[in-house]
């Protein structure tokens, strides 16, 4: 083991620091997008990187330039194709919950996350 810290001691951010890190919806959406698409956004339907970003749509921020879905091009967001897709929650609570879940030593129950968020 060497100089590795004990399991009970790990440096990390406090809940306040995490909330500050995701202080608004745009920062949370950017964080999720950065971790979901490290090489840039791609279409979940055809896999193309030929994507138009920041389109003027209420919920979908991306449009594929290569594939069509019926009469129009495929629209998608950072939540499309993930467990977040059917949720009414915005990106900020999702980002905070994901960060808390991934950094907890012993894990987090869904009930605890619901109470915290």
């Amino acid at each position: 083991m060497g100089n590795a810290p004990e399991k009970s001691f790990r440096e990390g951010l406090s809940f306040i620091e995490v909330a500050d890190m995701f202080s608004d919806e745009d920062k949370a959406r950017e964080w999720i997008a950065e971790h979901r698409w490290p090489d840039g956004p791609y279409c979940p339907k055809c896999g193309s990187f030929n994507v138009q970003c920041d389109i003027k749509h209420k919920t979908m921020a991306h449009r594929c330039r290569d594939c069509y879905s019926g009469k129009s091009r495929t629209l998608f967001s950072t939540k499309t194709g993930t467990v977040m897709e059917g949720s009414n929650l915005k990106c900020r609570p999702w980002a905070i919950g994901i960060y808390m879940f991934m950094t907890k030593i012993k894990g987090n129950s869904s009930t605890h996350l619901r109470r915290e968020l």
Side-chain angles (χ1 to χ4, degrees):
M1 285 272 168
N3 295 332
E6 296 293 324
K7 274 190 162 186
S8 62
F9 175 78
R10 290 189 186 167
E11 291 188 31
L13 301 176
S14 70
F15 184 78
I16 298 297
E17 291 170 322
V18 172
D20 288 344
M21 189 166 104
F22 304 119
S23 60
D24 61 30
E25 187 66 14
D26 291 333
K27 286 182 182 178
R29 189 178 305 108
E30 287 170 14
W31 183 81
I32 291 172
E34 177 183 312
H35 285 83
R36 180 170 181 202
W37 300 312
D39 299 324
Y42 59 88
C43 177
K45 186 175 177 183
C46 70
S48 170
F49 283 92
N50 189 9
V51 170
Q52 181 182 0
C53 298
D54 297 326
I55 63 169
K56 293 180 180 179
H57 189 275
K58 185 177 180 180
T59 58
M60 303 294 173
H62 307 285
R63 178 184 350 222
C64 180
R65 291 181 173 133
D66 290 336
C67 69
Y68 288 91
S69 174
K71 296 180 182 178
S72 63
R73 299 188 187 274
T74 302
L75 301 175
F76 60 98
S77 71
T78 54
K79 292 167 49 171
T80 302
T82 68
V83 296
M84 301 178 282
E85 183 173 4
S87 170
N88 290 331
L89 290 175
K90 295 189 180 264
C91 288
R92 187 169 184 247
W94 273 107
I96 293 171
I98 290 168
Y99 190 87
M100 289 174 58
F101 180 78
M102 297 302 292
T103 57
K104 286 284 185 177
I105 294 171
K106 295 182 180 180
N108 242 336
S109 72
S110 59
T111 337
H112 178 74
L113 274 174
R114 181 187 58 79
R115 280 193 308 261
E116 289 288 325
L117 297 173

